[in-house]
Amino acid sequence: MAESAPDRLEVLALQGLPEVHERADLGALIVATGFEFQDGDIVVVTSKVVSKAEGRLVPAGGTPAQQEAARQQAVESESVRTVASRGPLRIVQTRHGFVMANAGVDASNVPEGTLALLPLDSDVSARAIAARIRDLTDRTVAVVVSDTFGRPWRRGLTDLAIGAAGIDALRDYRGHADSSGRELAMTEVADVDEIASAAELVMGKARGVPVAVVRGLRYDASDSGVQPLIRPADEDLFALGTTEARAAGTDPIAVLTRRRTVRDFAADRVDPAAIQRAVAAAITAPAPHHAVPWRFVLIDTDEARSTLMTAMRKAWAADLTDDGVAPEVIARRIAKSDALLGRAPYLVVPCVVMAEAHYYVDRRRAAAEREMFLVSMGAAVENFLVALSAQGLGSCWLATTLFCKEAVRRALALPDAWEPMGTVAIGTPAVQPPPRTARDGRRYVVER
């Protein structure tokens, strides 16, 4: 987008919009206020009235306990991962890609006993409003859907864009020269966010004005929406979040020692990208002969989980029966494993591939080769667990699949050369683990 800063802007509150109900024609209601639109106007609409018109209100119950339970359930349903939390507050990534408090679930300016969820797709909503205004007024306007966000490291709230139509979200200055003639290499300005914030100055949080018009800004027309504003994961320097559990900061030793075994998980969905990042860390482990002897089987469907757990149950029961273990003891052991593996939001089966090893006729060398590969597998799994912890995820490495390797291979259709090395249960900790009891490393060192 080329430089087009105006000398003067107007930000106008649009008065007279009635209470918006489900299935309301929001574009027509805006036009019915009698506001005289001009070509190039930017209409800013709060997400709340869009949600009302689109039926995105859910019941919250009458008592405080019911309302809090409904709010937590709504946040869970709208989230793909928890970035940070403190008490009832959760900073989450929504399925839209936004990182915000409580997934935008809000009880303000809605009927008593209800909660508002964000629109399903605010870009689509913005396009519909812009098209309706154009049809009714013959004026071409851009539309920005706004919502309120907090910001890391700064107090106070501000409005940002969560949907846009007819306007470029970003003003790209890269390759242009600044006022001193230096080339700009990184500068992109989030125009639609600045527009949303400017509009909020006349809408206010308690004035009941959900629509404003920004006039006088020159902009490039675009229907790319707000997705260009969402930073890709590989560019995100702060993807690990900022909870107290990550308060160790950049101290690499603290990152390592913060990892704890977690067996009690919240129901939050695990972001598959976090698993992939942990696998990328795992495969940096050392391995003999420049081999790549690790594989990570991601159990990310209910069908795969059910098939795996059923196969393990049968194999364990048969094995323990052969060992003469009492049926009630077998049932307790299986139930304990089922409780953890069935409750964890995500499962991963790490495998070592011994086919990568050198072949030795000598038994001692062959045994040493196997030990080297098993040690390498342990290093890879430890990297994996630490990387999960660094992203705020809890994990528990269980021996489960070690006792029924062949059954697991059949259940997951794995090659014969892959040896399952347990199962890693993964999820957001239901409660943050307590700090690790300090150990004196000198007690475990022998000096010669």
PDB file of all heavy atoms in Angstrom, residues 308-333:
ATOM      1  N   LEU A 308      -5.949 -48.175  19.245  1.00  0.00           N
ATOM      2  CA  LEU A 308      -4.720 -48.405  20.013  1.00  0.00           C
ATOM      3  C   LEU A 308      -5.042 -48.938  21.408  1.00  0.00           C
ATOM      4  O   LEU A 308      -4.464 -49.945  21.851  1.00  0.00           O
ATOM      5  CB  LEU A 308      -3.928 -47.106  20.123  1.00  0.00           C
ATOM      6  CG  LEU A 308      -2.706 -47.146  21.056  1.00  0.00           C
ATOM      7  CD1 LEU A 308      -1.666 -48.136  20.534  1.00  0.00           C
ATOM      8  CD2 LEU A 308      -2.107 -45.746  21.218  1.00  0.00           C
ATOM      9  N   MET A 309      -5.961 -48.284  22.114  1.00  0.00           N
ATOM     10  CA  MET A 309      -6.251 -48.675  23.484  1.00  0.00           C
ATOM     11  C   MET A 309      -6.888 -50.058  23.544  1.00  0.00           C
ATOM     12  O   MET A 309      -6.604 -50.853  24.450  1.00  0.00           O
ATOM     13  CB  MET A 309      -7.141 -47.621  24.142  1.00  0.00           C
ATOM     14  CG  MET A 309      -6.424 -46.292  24.355  1.00  0.00           C
ATOM     15  SD  MET A 309      -7.459 -45.016  25.104  1.00  0.00           S
ATOM     16  CE  MET A 309      -7.796 -45.741  26.706  1.00  0.00           C
ATOM     17  N   THR A 310      -7.757 -50.391  22.589  1.00  0.00           N
ATOM     18  CA  THR A 310      -8.364 -51.720  22.555  1.00  0.00           C
ATOM     19  C   THR A 310      -7.306 -52.803  22.357  1.00  0.00           C
ATOM     20  O   THR A 310      -7.310 -53.842  23.027  1.00  0.00           O
ATOM     21  CB  THR A 310      -9.419 -51.799  21.435  1.00  0.00           C
ATOM     22  OG1 THR A 310     -10.449 -50.844  21.681  1.00  0.00           O
ATOM     23  CG2 THR A 310     -10.030 -53.191  21.355  1.00  0.00           C
ATOM     24  N   ALA A 311      -6.364 -52.559  21.435  1.00  0.00           N
ATOM     25  CA  ALA A 311      -5.300 -53.531  21.181  1.00  0.00           C
ATOM     26  C   ALA A 311      -4.423 -53.720  22.414  1.00  0.00           C
ATOM     27  O   ALA A 311      -4.036 -54.852  22.753  1.00  0.00           O
ATOM     28  CB  ALA A 311      -4.462 -53.073  19.997  1.00  0.00           C
ATOM     29  N   MET A 312      -4.098 -52.625  23.105  1.00  0.00           N
ATOM     30  CA  MET A 312      -3.254 -52.740  24.292  1.00  0.00           C
ATOM     31  C   MET A 312      -3.970 -53.473  25.408  1.00  0.00           C
ATOM     32  O   MET A 312      -3.370 -54.298  26.106  1.00  0.00           O
ATOM     33  CB  MET A 312      -2.805 -51.346  24.751  1.00  0.00           C
ATOM     34  CG  MET A 312      -1.783 -50.701  23.819  1.00  0.00           C
ATOM     35  SD  MET A 312      -0.929 -49.266  24.535  1.00  0.00           S
ATOM     36  CE  MET A 312      -2.293 -48.122  24.752  1.00  0.00           C
ATOM     37  N   ARG A 313      -5.255 -53.188  25.606  1.00  0.00           N
ATOM     38  CA  ARG A 313      -6.014 -53.886  26.652  1.00  0.00           C
ATOM     39  C   ARG A 313      -5.963 -55.398  26.460  1.00  0.00           C
ATOM     40  O   ARG A 313      -5.706 -56.159  27.395  1.00  0.00           O
ATOM     41  CB  ARG A 313      -7.481 -53.429  26.635  1.00  0.00           C
ATOM     42  CG  ARG A 313      -7.740 -52.068  27.207  1.00  0.00           C
ATOM     43  CD  ARG A 313      -9.238 -51.835  27.333  1.00  0.00           C
ATOM     44  NE  ARG A 313      -9.537 -50.415  27.266  1.00  0.00           N
ATOM     45  CZ  ARG A 313     -10.053 -49.822  26.207  1.00  0.00           C
ATOM     46  NH1 ARG A 313     -10.350 -50.516  25.124  1.00  0.00           N
ATOM     47  NH2 ARG A 313     -10.289 -48.520  26.232  1.00  0.00           N
ATOM     48  N   LYS A 314      -6.239 -55.837  25.238  1.00  0.00           N
ATOM     49  CA  LYS A 314      -6.257 -57.276  24.964  1.00  0.00           C
ATOM     50  C   LYS A 314      -4.883 -57.897  25.189  1.00  0.00           C
ATOM     51  O   LYS A 314      -4.753 -58.975  25.784  1.00  0.00           O
ATOM     52  CB  LYS A 314      -6.715 -57.514  23.527  1.00  0.00           C
ATOM     53  CG  LYS A 314      -8.179 -57.181  23.278  1.00  0.00           C
ATOM     54  CD  LYS A 314      -8.552 -57.420  21.817  1.00  0.00           C
ATOM     55  CE  LYS A 314     -10.020 -57.114  21.569  1.00  0.00           C
ATOM     56  NZ  LYS A 314     -10.400 -57.308  20.138  1.00  0.00           N
ATOM     57  N   ALA A 315      -3.845 -57.217  24.715  1.00  0.00           N
ATOM     58  CA  ALA A 315      -2.492 -57.760  24.864  1.00  0.00           C
ATOM     59  C   ALA A 315      -2.078 -57.811  26.327  1.00  0.00           C
ATOM     60  O   ALA A 315      -1.495 -58.800  26.791  1.00  0.00           O
ATOM     61  CB  ALA A 315      -1.506 -56.922  24.057  1.00  0.00           C
ATOM     62  N   TRP A 316      -2.368 -56.741  27.090  1.00  0.00           N
ATOM     63  CA  TRP A 316      -2.015 -56.726  28.515  1.00  0.00           C
ATOM     64  C   TRP A 316      -2.752 -57.826  29.275  1.00  0.00           C
ATOM     65  O   TRP A 316      -2.179 -58.523  30.102  1.00  0.00           O
ATOM     66  CB  TRP A 316      -2.372 -55.387  29.137  1.00  0.00           C
ATOM     67  CG  TRP A 316      -1.596 -54.228  28.629  1.00  0.00           C
ATOM     68  CD1 TRP A 316      -0.395 -54.241  27.988  1.00  0.00           C
ATOM     69  CD2 TRP A 316      -1.982 -52.866  28.726  1.00  0.00           C
ATOM     70  NE1 TRP A 316      -0.010 -52.970  27.667  1.00  0.00           N
ATOM     71  CE2 TRP A 316      -0.958 -52.092  28.105  1.00  0.00           C
ATOM     72  CE3 TRP A 316      -3.068 -52.204  29.255  1.00  0.00           C
ATOM     73  CZ2 TRP A 316      -1.018 -50.717  28.017  1.00  0.00           C
ATOM     74  CZ3 TRP A 316      -3.136 -50.822  29.176  1.00  0.00           C
ATOM     75  CH2 TRP A 316      -2.117 -50.085  28.565  1.00  0.00           C
ATOM     76  N   ALA A 317      -4.053 -57.928  29.011  1.00  0.00           N
ATOM     77  CA  ALA A 317      -4.852 -58.920  29.745  1.00  0.00           C
ATOM     78  C   ALA A 317      -4.323 -60.327  29.499  1.00  0.00           C
ATOM     79  O   ALA A 317      -4.191 -61.133  30.435  1.00  0.00           O
ATOM     80  CB  ALA A 317      -6.320 -58.812  29.326  1.00  0.00           C
ATOM     81  N   ALA A 318      -4.002 -60.628  28.239  1.00  0.00           N
ATOM     82  CA  ALA A 318      -3.483 -61.957  27.927  1.00  0.00           C
ATOM     83  C   ALA A 318      -2.125 -62.187  28.587  1.00  0.00           C
ATOM     84  O   ALA A 318      -1.862 -63.264  29.157  1.00  0.00           O
ATOM     85  CB  ALA A 318      -3.371 -62.122  26.412  1.00  0.00           C
ATOM     86  N   ASP A 319      -1.264 -61.193  28.543  1.00  0.00           N
ATOM     87  CA  ASP A 319       0.073 -61.312  29.102  1.00  0.00           C
ATOM     88  C   ASP A 319       0.025 -61.479  30.624  1.00  0.00           C
ATOM     89  O   ASP A 319       0.686 -62.355  31.193  1.00  0.00           O
ATOM     90  CB  ASP A 319       0.886 -60.072  28.726  1.00  0.00           C
ATOM     91  CG  ASP A 319       2.351 -60.200  29.117  1.00  0.00           C
ATOM     92  OD1 ASP A 319       2.920 -61.284  28.917  1.00  0.00           O
ATOM     93  OD2 ASP A 319       2.923 -59.221  29.614  1.00  0.00           O
ATOM     94  N   LEU A 320      -0.781 -60.660  31.283  1.00  0.00           N
ATOM     95  CA  LEU A 320      -0.874 -60.726  32.742  1.00  0.00           C
ATOM     96  C   LEU A 320      -1.548 -62.008  33.206  1.00  0.00           C
ATOM     97  O   LEU A 320      -1.206 -62.570  34.248  1.00  0.00           O
ATOM     98  CB  LEU A 320      -1.624 -59.497  33.270  1.00  0.00           C
ATOM     99  CG  LEU A 320      -0.889 -58.158  33.104  1.00  0.00           C
ATOM    100  CD1 LEU A 320      -1.815 -56.997  33.450  1.00  0.00           C
ATOM    101  CD2 LEU A 320       0.356 -58.109  33.966  1.00  0.00           C
ATOM    102  N   THR A 321      -2.501 -62.476  32.426  1.00  0.00           N
ATOM    103  CA  THR A 321      -3.153 -63.753  32.760  1.00  0.00           C
ATOM    104  C   THR A 321      -2.150 -64.888  32.705  1.00  0.00           C
ATOM    105  O   THR A 321      -2.113 -65.767  33.573  1.00  0.00           O
ATOM    106  CB  THR A 321      -4.328 -64.018  31.808  1.00  0.00           C
ATOM    107  OG1 THR A 321      -5.296 -62.965  31.945  1.00  0.00           O
ATOM    108  CG2 THR A 321      -5.000 -65.350  32.136  1.00  0.00           C
ATOM    109  N   ASP A 322      -1.321 -64.874  31.667  1.00  0.00           N
ATOM    110  CA  ASP A 322      -0.278 -65.906  31.544  1.00  0.00           C
ATOM    111  C   ASP A 322       0.688 -65.857  32.726  1.00  0.00           C
ATOM    112  O   ASP A 322       1.260 -66.887  33.110  1.00  0.00           O
ATOM    113  CB  ASP A 322       0.502 -65.726  30.242  1.00  0.00           C
ATOM    114  CG  ASP A 322      -0.332 -66.090  29.021  1.00  0.00           C
ATOM    115  OD1 ASP A 322      -1.372 -66.762  29.192  1.00  0.00           O
ATOM    116  OD2 ASP A 322       0.069 -65.699  27.900  1.00  0.00           O
ATOM    117  N   ASP A 323       0.891 -64.662  33.294  1.00  0.00           N
ATOM    118  CA  ASP A 323       1.786 -64.523  34.448  1.00  0.00           C
ATOM    119  C   ASP A 323       1.103 -64.881  35.765  1.00  0.00           C
ATOM    120  O   ASP A 323       1.724 -64.780  36.833  1.00  0.00           O
ATOM    121  CB  ASP A 323       2.316 -63.092  34.533  1.00  0.00           C
ATOM    122  CG  ASP A 323       3.343 -62.801  33.449  1.00  0.00           C
ATOM    123  OD1 ASP A 323       3.840 -63.757  32.835  1.00  0.00           O
ATOM    124  OD2 ASP A 323       3.630 -61.608  33.226  1.00  0.00           O
ATOM    125  N   GLY A 324      -0.183 -65.248  35.700  1.00  0.00           N
ATOM    126  CA  GLY A 324      -0.895 -65.642  36.894  1.00  0.00           C
ATOM    127  C   GLY A 324      -1.421 -64.502  37.740  1.00  0.00           C
ATOM    128  O   GLY A 324      -1.771 -64.686  38.914  1.00  0.00           O
ATOM    129  N   VAL A 325      -1.496 -63.295  37.174  1.00  0.00           N
ATOM    130  CA  VAL A 325      -2.015 -62.150  37.906  1.00  0.00           C
ATOM    131  C   VAL A 325      -3.531 -62.289  38.058  1.00  0.00           C
ATOM    132  O   VAL A 325      -4.232 -62.689  37.118  1.00  0.00           O
ATOM    133  CB  VAL A 325      -1.663 -60.838  37.182  1.00  0.00           C
ATOM    134  CG1 VAL A 325      -2.236 -59.642  37.924  1.00  0.00           C
ATOM    135  CG2 VAL A 325      -0.145 -60.704  37.038  1.00  0.00           C
ATOM    136  N   ALA A 326      -4.045 -61.969  39.228  1.00  0.00           N
ATOM    137  CA  ALA A 326      -5.473 -62.116  39.514  1.00  0.00           C
ATOM    138  C   ALA A 326      -6.296 -61.206  38.602  1.00  0.00           C
ATOM    139  O   ALA A 326      -5.872 -60.073  38.305  1.00  0.00           O
ATOM    140  CB  ALA A 326      -5.760 -61.777  40.968  1.00  0.00           C
ATOM    141  N   PRO A 327      -7.473 -61.674  38.159  1.00  0.00           N
ATOM    142  CA  PRO A 327      -8.303 -60.866  37.252  1.00  0.00           C
ATOM    143  C   PRO A 327      -8.628 -59.478  37.782  1.00  0.00           C
ATOM    144  O   PRO A 327      -8.649 -58.506  37.020  1.00  0.00           O
ATOM    145  CB  PRO A 327      -9.568 -61.711  37.103  1.00  0.00           C
ATOM    146  CG  PRO A 327      -9.113 -63.106  37.361  1.00  0.00           C
ATOM    147  CD  PRO A 327      -8.050 -63.004  38.405  1.00  0.00           C
ATOM    148  N   GLU A 328      -8.885 -59.372  39.110  1.00  0.00           N
ATOM    149  CA  GLU A 328      -9.234 -58.050  39.645  1.00  0.00           C
ATOM    150  C   GLU A 328      -8.042 -57.095  39.603  1.00  0.00           C
ATOM    151  O   GLU A 328      -8.199 -55.884  39.430  1.00  0.00           O
ATOM    152  CB  GLU A 328      -9.770 -58.163  41.073  1.00  0.00           C
ATOM    153  CG  GLU A 328      -8.819 -58.755  42.094  1.00  0.00           C
ATOM    154  CD  GLU A 328      -8.900 -60.280  42.153  1.00  0.00           C
ATOM    155  OE1 GLU A 328      -9.422 -60.899  41.199  1.00  0.00           O
ATOM    156  OE2 GLU A 328      -8.437 -60.836  43.167  1.00  0.00           O
ATOM    157  N   VAL A 329      -6.839 -57.646  39.755  1.00  0.00           N
ATOM    158  CA  VAL A 329      -5.635 -56.813  39.653  1.00  0.00           C
ATOM    159  C   VAL A 329      -5.430 -56.358  38.215  1.00  0.00           C
ATOM    160  O   VAL A 329      -5.100 -55.196  37.949  1.00  0.00           O
ATOM    161  CB  VAL A 329      -4.399 -57.587  40.166  1.00  0.00           C
ATOM    162  CG1 VAL A 329      -3.134 -56.757  39.955  1.00  0.00           C
ATOM    163  CG2 VAL A 329      -4.564 -57.944  41.627  1.00  0.00           C
ATOM    164  N   ILE A 330      -5.655 -57.273  37.278  1.00  0.00           N
ATOM    165  CA  ILE A 330      -5.554 -56.913  35.857  1.00  0.00           C
ATOM    166  C   ILE A 330      -6.527 -55.800  35.524  1.00  0.00           C
ATOM    167  O   ILE A 330      -6.177 -54.820  34.851  1.00  0.00           O
ATOM    168  CB  ILE A 330      -5.828 -58.147  34.973  1.00  0.00           C
ATOM    169  CG1 ILE A 330      -4.736 -59.199  35.184  1.00  0.00           C
ATOM    170  CG2 ILE A 330      -5.910 -57.739  33.497  1.00  0.00           C
ATOM    171  CD1 ILE A 330      -5.006 -60.507  34.452  1.00  0.00           C
ATOM    172  N   ALA A 331      -7.764 -55.931  36.008  1.00  0.00           N
ATOM    173  CA  ALA A 331      -8.792 -54.925  35.722  1.00  0.00           C
ATOM    174  C   ALA A 331      -8.392 -53.569  36.283  1.00  0.00           C
ATOM    175  O   ALA A 331      -8.581 -52.531  35.625  1.00  0.00           O
ATOM    176  CB  ALA A 331     -10.133 -55.375  36.302  1.00  0.00           C
ATOM    177  N   ARG A 332      -7.817 -53.551  37.489  1.00  0.00           N
ATOM    178  CA  ARG A 332      -7.407 -52.269  38.092  1.00  0.00           C
ATOM    179  C   ARG A 332      -6.286 -51.621  37.287  1.00  0.00           C
ATOM    180  O   ARG A 332      -6.285 -50.417  37.065  1.00  0.00           O
ATOM    181  CB  ARG A 332      -6.950 -52.485  39.541  1.00  0.00           C
ATOM    182  CG  ARG A 332      -8.077 -52.655  40.537  1.00  0.00           C
ATOM    183  CD  ARG A 332      -7.602 -52.355  41.957  1.00  0.00           C
ATOM    184  NE  ARG A 332      -6.481 -53.207  42.338  1.00  0.00           N
ATOM    185  CZ  ARG A 332      -6.594 -54.390  42.934  1.00  0.00           C
ATOM    186  NH1 ARG A 332      -7.809 -54.882  43.171  1.00  0.00           N
ATOM    187  NH2 ARG A 332      -5.521 -55.084  43.266  1.00  0.00           N
ATOM    188  N   ARG A 333      -5.315 -52.428  36.854  1.00  0.00           N
ATOM    189  CA  ARG A 333      -4.191 -51.870  36.102  1.00  0.00           C
ATOM    190  C   ARG A 333      -4.660 -51.296  34.763  1.00  0.00           C
ATOM    191  O   ARG A 333      -4.229 -50.210  34.348  1.00  0.00           O
ATOM    192  CB  ARG A 333      -3.135 -52.945  35.870  1.00  0.00           C
ATOM    193  CG  ARG A 333      -2.412 -53.374  37.132  1.00  0.00           C
ATOM    194  CD  ARG A 333      -1.328 -54.405  36.810  1.00  0.00           C
ATOM    195  NE  ARG A 333      -0.651 -54.865  38.016  1.00  0.00           N
ATOM    196  CZ  ARG A 333       0.315 -55.782  38.032  1.00  0.00           C
ATOM    197  NH1 ARG A 333       0.734 -56.315  36.878  1.00  0.00           N
ATOM    198  NH2 ARG A 333       0.872 -56.155  39.157  1.00  0.00           N
TER     199      ARG A 333
END
